Amino acid sequence: MGTTYSIKIVKGIDGENQDLLIDLQRKIDSILVVVNQQMSTYIDSSEISRFNRHQAGMWFDVSQNLAFVISKANEISRKSGSAFDITIGPLVNLWGFGPILKVYNIPGDEEIKKAREFVDYKKVLVKMNPASVMKTIPEIYCDLSAIAKGYGVDVVAEFIESQDYANYLVEIGGEVRTRGVNHNNKPWQIGISTPDSQFGIEKVVSLGGGSMATSGDYRNYFEKDGVRYSHTLDPRTGYPITHRLASVTVIHDSCVVADAFATAINVLGPEEGYKLALKEKLPVFLIIRSDDTFIEKMTPEFQEILNMMEK
């Protein structure tokens, strides 16, 4: 996934059998290898890469996991009015943010218009039994970067729970899922970064269960001729986002859902994104640029979580 992961488990670690912990890590590594092999466009032999090369109009057998992720992605695409769309691959590659190694590119309007013709989640059909997917036009190219990390977090967390660990934190590339308490016997304390060059902590959230995902435009971007281009592309326009919303944090039981909604809200911006969060009754925390400072905005559900922390 091109990032790091961190796992913390609380269960009398001082007395834990070291061989047991090494075996646990080995199994978790194996799980992440499988997720990558299913969902990474950086691996030519992965399921998603083979589907991207598959002919249109023919069902392509996939794992239950990949079918689930694509189905969930399409659901969030519908709810967000296409602000989230895994078929954004042609645009991602055109701008130079995809797996093809090249210098970041600023494409022309006609190139973008052409690529946008191939971006439409409705052109990817999913069946769960048997697990299979089909694209209705050959140019469809799915990119799961905005949802696969969250899914990886969920899979690892569920495995840890299956090993009878009740208190843990799983983090992959900043996406987090927790359960229970930390080594101080308190809910896990999760920091939300301030979206500036200092990378300080804007807010700390107590998370004794559930998932948290953050999407922002402040770490992955390129600059050319004094203009900054975010890696977050709006699939509806084909261009990088340019609004003042710098960071979106979403809390949800499922990290795959939190991950995708964080991207969708980030694409929509501070006004429309906030409306979507309210409609879906999501705990969401927004950090919005305002001249030389930041403005915080949150949904009532997120405020309720903060209020519970203070009790």
Side-chain angles (χ1 to χ4, degrees):
M1 298 180 191
T3 189
T4 61
Y5 77 81
S6 171
I7 294 170
K8 300 179 187 296
I9 296 174
V10 181
K11 188 187 177 186
I13 294 298
D14 290 341
E16 196 73 83
N17 183 301
Q18 189 65 24
D19 290 338
L20 188 65
L21 295 177
I22 291 171
D23 183 59
L24 187 67
Q25 180 172 356
R26 181 183 59 79
K27 289 176 179 176
I28 288 169
D29 283 338
S30 297
I31 288 169
L32 292 175
V33 166
V34 170
V35 172
N36 258 339
Q37 195 61 41
Q38 291 165 343
M39 305 186 192
S40 174
T41 56
Y42 287 79
I43 301 173
D44 284 341
S45 61
S46 71
E47 283 187 34
I48 196 66
S49 292
R50 289 186 286 117
F51 172 64
N52 285 338
R53 296 191 297 267
H54 190 64
Q55 66 188 92
M58 299 287 290
W59 287 101
F60 179 75
D61 292 339
V62 296
S63 62
Q64 203 75 32
N65 293 350
L66 183 58
F68 167 79
V69 168
I70 292 177
S71 176
K72 186 62 66 175
N74 284 354
E75 175 188 325
I76 293 170
S77 295
R78 289 192 295 272
K79 291 181 176 180
S80 66
S82 297
F84 181 85
D85 193 327
I86 60 169
T87 66
I88 199 172
L91 288 168
V92 172
N93 294 334
L94 183 64
W95 280 89
F97 289 115
I100 301 170
L101 296 177
K102 63 178 180 179
V103 177
Y104 288 131
N105 180 43
I106 301 176
D109 293 344
E110 284 303 314
E111 289 180 285
I112 292 171
K113 182 179 178 182
K114 184 66 177 176
R116 279 188 61 215
E117 294 177 5
F118 311 134
V119 178
D120 184 355
Y121 74 92
K122 296 174 186 174
K123 290 179 168 50
V124 177
L125 309 179
V126 189
K127 289 195 301 188
M128 298 304 296
N129 190 20
S132 53
V133 290
M134 180 173 70
K135 52 184 175 181
T136 60
I137 61 172
E139 295 86 359
I140 286 292
Y141 183 102
C142 294
D143 185 323
L144 303 177
S145 300
I147 195 169
K149 278 194 301 181
Y151 180 74
V153 169
D154 283 337
V155 172
V156 171
E158 287 160 11
F159 169 72
I160 291 172
E161 289 186 18
S162 76
Q163 303 302 297
D164 295 327
Y165 290 96
N167 304 296
Y168 65 78
L169 178 149
V170 175
E171 176 266 334
I172 301 178
E175 321 301 15
V176 176
R177 178 162 157 173
T178 69
R179 183 182 177 188
V181 295
N182 62 20
H183 61 288
N184 292 319
N185 204 36
K186 294 182 178 180
W188 297 94
Q189 305 298 296
I190 314 298
I192 300 173
S193 295
T194 302
D196 58 20
S197 59
Q198 304 303 312
F199 297 127
I201 300 299
E202 183 79 14
K203 186 76 65 179
V204 175
V205 179
S206 290
L207 206 62
S211 303
M212 191 169 91
T214 298
S215 176
D217 68 348
Y218 52 97
R219 289 192 179 176
N220 195 349
Y221 61 90
F222 71 91
E223 292 186 4
K224 195 163 186 178
D225 299 328
V227 179
R228 177 165 142 164
Y229 297 90
S230 170
H231 81 293
T232 302
L233 303 175
D234 187 336
R236 302 166 303 170
T237 67
Y239 291 86
I241 57 173
T242 58
H243 50 64
R244 289 177 172 264
L245 181 54
S247 173
V248 179
T249 297
V250 178
I251 295 176
H252 194 275
D253 290 342
S254 160
C255 199
V256 71
V257 172
D259 196 8
F261 265 119
T263 297
I265 293 168
N266 191 30
V267 167
L268 288 168
E271 290 83 23
E272 293 303 313
Y274 186 72
K275 288 179 184 177
L276 176 63
L278 291 176
K279 181 181 178 182
E280 296 296 323
K281 294 181 170 53
L282 293 169
V284 172
F285 180 71
L286 309 178
I287 304 176
I288 304 163
R289 290 189 180 87
S290 178
D291 298 325
D292 296 329
T293 187
F294 293 108
I295 297 172
E296 297 179 356
K297 189 174 183 178
M298 66 190 76
T299 61
E301 290 78 10
F302 194 94
Q303 182 64 64
E304 185 176 337
I305 290 172
L306 295 185
N307 292 343
M308 290 175 60
M309 288 169 51
E310 296 173 357
K311 291 180 180 179

